[in-house]
Amino acid sequence: MLKNLFSPVRIGKIEIPNRLIVAPMVMNYCNNDGTATERYIAYHEAKAKGGWGLIITEDYAIDPKGRGFSNIPGLWEDSQIESHAELTKRIHKYGTKIIAQIYHAGRQTNHFVIGSQPVAPSPIPCPSNQEIPHELTIKEIQELVEKFGDCALRAKKAGFDGVEIHGAHGYLIAQFMSPYSNKRTDEYGGSFLNRMRFPLEIISNIRAKAGNDFPIIFRISGDEFVPGGRTIEDTKAIAILLEKAGINAIHVSAGVYASAHAIIPPSAVRHGWITDFAAEIKKVVSIPVITVGRINDPFLAEEIISSGKADLVSMGRGSLADPELPNKAAVGKFGEIRHCIGCMQGCIERLFKNIDVKCLVNPTLGREIEFAIKPATSKKKIFIAGGGPAGMEAAIVVAKRGYEVHLYEKTDKLGGQFELAAVPPNKGEFATFTAWQKTQLKKLNVNVYLNTELTTEIVDSEKPDVVIIATGGRPAIPNIPGVDKPNVVTAHNVLKGKVDVGHKVIVIGGGMVGSETADHLANHGKEVTILEQLPEIAKDEQDSVRYFLLKDLKENNVAIYTNTPVKEIVDDGVIVDRNGKEEKISPTDTIVLAVGVKPVNELVNKLEGKVNKLITVGDALEVRKALEAIEEGYKAGLEA
Ligand code: SF4
């Protein structure tokens, strides 16, 4: 069915068994000295086992001062080769090729990570890191060129099948190539060829040290999406030059840190959006072109290859969400694929806190060994209260272990609050995960009881060995006069489609739920006002998710009042405190409450001492995001 996707292709001298590539994604799993950990190797090994044709690793630093994150790999000295040789050996066992991406972060880092001032072509700070970099001297530039070549040679010695030069995303090489960040007037700045001198010298240094037949991919942003930055026309000219310089493939991405929403876009951005740039590059080069960017499904990948827009498709988050995507697609098990939903919670939100990456839909990511499911050695009856994502995840794990599992859900639907998360604009993909969990429950023959609350009576009579409480949360109701008026509803009931909402709406609470509910209503033609007592709205959203949400709210003319606590709800509006003065906001038809969630955990106390093991997970334990709830559900399944 996907014959193009599963046909081999060559990059230089290496043959890749299929067109599916693991895109470079920083995971922060390595030791601080740049050596590989078992966690880092096992993470890659899961992908090789999963059938990916080629893995392009995350960025190997050519110099410790060139690291953008604390725990990335490095090949800046020979002593680092051995641990990475173990990685390549383990990957090659599965027939998968592995290429090391090599890089220097330039100004897109800070002294907290590298312990000193960052460096750059010009002393202009990166808008997101804000640290003024040291302007590299000619001698320092030439030393860095040598370090790129040395790093590539070490990669070859470690058994990598080639290197990818990271010239994208605003890192040091991209900084030199772009007039946005390169303001030099010597031989490394100014004209097009001068700005290209640094990458071209790096390519010839690698060729001289690692050999003419050592494959080199060059990664580049098709468009930088910053004022005065490179556009696709500039990038096409660069691609022609790079091909002449002898690279073997080009990997087209987008953005720099100042336009981070373009580098790793959330669900608000259309699938495969960068492929248009790859198709433009393909018009001007004859080497293989790799595309990336919100591609999370094999059918989409097949269409890209068959329509000739690119030769290979790389998936970053698609491979985090399901390392076995290629194997499942190859045998037609499409319903088994766990898709990346573009939530950003586990990967990007954590990465930019400089901590290890996780995945909301795949709790085993980076814990392939410790979270492995081992078959049961005894018989157990396990009851789960609550059919939200945490409860379903627990049920899936318990069933895979081979225990008898019974899942009780008091409403007529599985999915809990996560079903509601899929309702606002740009969030529809969230439903794919709930759908995947439901498919798994069916496949594993889990006993599911809808419209049935797990009670102490059921526990007393059925005597389960373990009970997992995953009863989630319920909307908090603020203590405001007038909150019980008939036109006051909760955001949860709005998203469930349980209440009618009038034309003029006030949403009390501008967190993630309130802001997204406001967006949902505004998209349905309502006139919406958000009232938030904090200085900003949606601060609990990841930055890129928030960027698109705020854009949407603006386009839909949603009125936003921050620093505005609500004092009272009256018949035709609300009384608020604005700068110490009472003000009435009216008229309004419906008032929507979105002031948070409270745990539903009454069953915990009732069952204490009644069962051998009681485990509470997700919002029932403490209200947090779905990432934590699903991980706890998975762990409870292992511990039960
Ligand atoms: Fe995709 Fe969310 Fe997983 Fe990141 S955490 S890979 S965005 S599903």
Side-chain angles (χ1 to χ4, degrees):
M1 218 167 166
L2 306 174
K3 62 181 188 335
N4 293 294
L5 204 53
F6 289 99
S7 62
V9 63
R10 293 190 82 81
I11 291 182
K13 68 173 182 182
I14 57 166
E15 184 172 275
I16 298 162
N18 60 50
R19 308 297 178 106
L20 285 163
I21 300 181
V22 174
M25 288 277 298
V26 175
M27 306 303 287
N28 255 341
Y29 292 166
C30 282
N31 292 312
N32 189 252
D33 64 3
T35 54
T37 56
E38 178 56 31
R39 183 185 191 189
Y40 177 75
I41 295 173
Y43 152 74
H44 284 101
E45 201 172 13
K47 307 210 181 186
K49 262 188 220 166
W52 298 84
L54 168 66
I55 294 171
I56 304 178
T57 68
E58 64 194 79
D59 23 26
Y60 276 70
I62 61 143
D63 185 299
K65 303 280 184 208
R67 293 177 299 161
F69 302 92
S70 300
N71 291 86
I72 60 168
L75 280 169
W76 61 77
E77 58 190 27
D78 289 351
S79 62
Q80 293 166 316
I81 294 174
E82 191 183 342
S83 69
H84 296 291
E86 173 65 16
L87 166 70
T88 59
K89 191 176 87 191
R90 299 249 293 263
I91 298 309
H92 285 146
K93 274 198 308 201
Y94 300 93
T96 298
K97 304 289 184 209
I98 182 162
I99 279 179
Q101 187 185 68
I102 57 175
Y103 103 130
H104 189 296
R107 68 179 190 172
Q108 286 187 172
T109 187
N110 55 64
H111 70 273
F112 295 112
V113 174
I114 59 172
S116 60
Q117 186 186 15
V119 301
S122 303
I124 302 164
C126 154
S128 45
N129 272 289
Q130 300 282 348
E131 231 171 286
I132 296 176
H134 159 70
E135 181 177 18
L136 287 161
T137 63
I138 301 273
K139 184 169 169 280
E140 286 166 339
I141 293 170
Q142 288 166 354
E143 282 167 5
L144 288 174
V145 169
E146 294 296 332
K147 285 184 179 182
F148 268 100
D150 295 342
C151 181
L153 178 58
R154 288 188 196 105
K156 189 177 181 181
K157 286 180 180 167
F160 285 100
D161 298 293
V163 287
E164 175 174 276
I165 299 171
H166 200 344
H169 302 167
Y171 292 119
L172 185 64
I173 295 173
Q175 286 158 34
F176 271 94
M177 293 197 298
S178 177
Y180 167 68
S181 40
N182 183 348
K183 313 288 178 179
R184 299 177 77 98
T185 52
D186 59 13
E187 61 263 48
Y188 287 96
S191 70
F192 172 70
L193 278 179
N194 278 1
R195 278 186 276 113
M196 286 302 296
R197 192 176 305 280
F198 184 55
L200 293 176
E201 286 181 353
I202 288 171
I203 293 168
S204 52
N205 199 285
I206 292 173
R207 285 274 170 254
K209 287 174 180 161
N212 279 335
D213 64 346
F214 191 55
I216 300 177
I217 301 173
F218 196 95
R219 198 171 209 212
I220 194 162
S221 293
D223 193 311
E224 293 187 310
F225 293 104
V226 282
R230 280 190 298 98
T231 64
I232 185 63
E233 292 310 319
D234 304 313
T235 306
K236 281 160 84 173
I238 290 175
I240 294 167
L241 208 58
L242 292 173
E243 182 174 23
K244 283 205 178 103
I247 63 161
N248 302 100
I250 188 155
H251 191 173
V252 186
S253 184
V256 301
Y257 271 22
S259 54
H261 56 274
I263 300 178
I264 307 174
S267 57
V269 174
R270 72 184 162 92
H271 291 286
W273 75 286
I274 301 175
T275 300
D276 295 345
F277 297 138
E280 283 299 302
I281 299 292
K282 207 163 152 49
K283 287 178 190 164
V284 299
V285 297
S286 55
I287 50 175
V289 174
I290 304 166
T291 187
V292 70
R294 284 270 293 136
I295 304 168
N296 66 350
D297 188 89
F299 286 100
L300 175 59
E302 172 71 15
E303 188 282 324
I304 290 168
I305 307 290
S306 61
S307 62
K309 291 178 197 147
D311 301 289
L312 298 107
V313 172
S314 77
M315 298 188 193
R317 289 170 293 163
S319 70
L320 303 188
D322 197 339
E324 291 176 37
L325 181 147
N327 283 350
K328 290 175 181 172
V331 296
K333 288 190 175 173
F334 301 110
E336 290 282 307
I337 294 172
R338 207 172 33 219
H339 292 91
C340 165
I341 58 172
C343 68
M344 318 289 264
Q345 280 185 30
C347 49
I348 308 312
E349 192 168 330
R350 291 178 63 86
L351 181 60
F352 280 90
K353 289 177 186 159
N354 201 16
I355 52 177
D356 62 327
V357 164
K358 295 184 177 181
C359 175
L360 182 144
V361 303
N362 176 17
T364 63
L365 177 76
R367 272 81 54 92
E368 286 78 9
I369 297 166
E370 74 190 273
F371 280 11
I373 294 176
K374 296 191 184 82
T377 51
S378 60
K379 280 194 161 195
K380 272 190 205 170
K381 185 155 73 170
I382 294 165
F383 281 17
I384 298 169
M392 285 198 278
E393 196 67 17
I396 292 164
V397 176
V398 169
K400 282 185 176 170
R401 291 176 66 201
Y403 289 130
E404 181 186 332
V405 53
H406 300 262
L407 175 64
Y408 294 83
E409 167 54 43
K410 76 171 181 182
T411 72
D412 59 353
K413 258 186 177 181
L414 294 171
Q417 296 176 74
F418 206 68
E419 286 249 321
L420 307 184
V423 175
N426 300 321
K427 291 293 185 89
E429 270 177 81
F430 280 46
T432 60
F433 180 56
T434 322
W436 178 86
Q437 286 187 313
K438 287 182 187 173
T439 310
Q440 294 296 306
L441 294 180
K442 258 197 201 128
K443 191 182 134 197
L444 295 161
N445 292 319
V446 171
N447 304 293
V448 176
Y449 310 96
L450 294 179
N451 298 306
T452 312
E453 188 170 359
L454 182 64
T455 58
T456 47
E457 289 73 29
I458 296 174
V459 171
D460 283 341
S461 76
E462 299 294 326
K463 304 201 179 341
D465 298 286
V466 182
V467 174
I468 298 171
I469 310 272
T471 38
R474 64 170 70 91
I477 305 298
N479 191 16
I480 304 171
V483 78
D484 49 358
K485 288 189 183 293
N487 64 338
V488 180
V489 299
T490 63
H492 280 215
N493 279 339
V494 171
L495 297 172
K496 279 180 189 163
K498 280 196 165 177
V499 289
D500 284 326
V501 176
H503 181 67
K504 284 181 182 281
V505 186
I506 288 176
V507 177
I508 299 178
M512 177 171 75
V513 174
S515 302
E516 289 184 355
T517 306
D519 194 25
H520 165 66
L521 292 169
N523 265 277
H524 286 78
K526 311 288 183 190
E527 213 176 287
V528 187
T529 300
I530 298 175
L531 303 178
E532 168 57 49
Q533 58 183 355
L534 296 174
E536 289 177 280
I537 66 158
K539 283 302 279 180
D540 47 348
E541 295 269 26
Q542 188 272 337
D543 286 350
S544 298
V545 178
R546 185 169 184 262
Y547 169 87
F548 287 102
L549 173 63
L550 296 186
K551 193 165 163 270
D552 221 23
L553 292 173
K554 194 171 178 197
E555 281 166 14
N556 282 302
N557 298 315
V558 172
I560 299 168
Y561 292 78
T562 53
N563 294 312
T564 306
V566 175
K567 310 298 280 181
E568 187 179 352
I569 299 172
V570 292
D571 285 341
D572 59 344
V574 297
I575 311 291
V576 297
D577 180 342
R578 297 260 292 152
N579 304 319
K581 274 200 205 153
E582 284 203 349
E583 227 178 77
K584 185 172 172 184
I585 298 181
S586 68
T588 186
D589 302 312
T590 306
I591 290 163
V592 179
L593 302 175
V595 295
V597 168
K598 283 185 158 177
V600 174
N601 53 15
E602 293 79 7
L603 194 58
V604 179
N605 283 341
K606 290 182 190 165
L607 291 184
E608 272 316 340
K610 276 186 184 280
V611 281
N612 285 341
K613 198 165 193 180
L614 189 61
I615 309 173
T616 309
V617 299
D619 281 2
L621 182 67
E622 185 191 342
V623 173
R624 285 147 305 153
K625 287 189 174 178
L627 173 75
E628 286 83 14
I630 293 162
E631 179 179 324
E632 283 170 12
Y634 188 98
K635 277 161 92 174
L638 288 183
E639 287 161 17

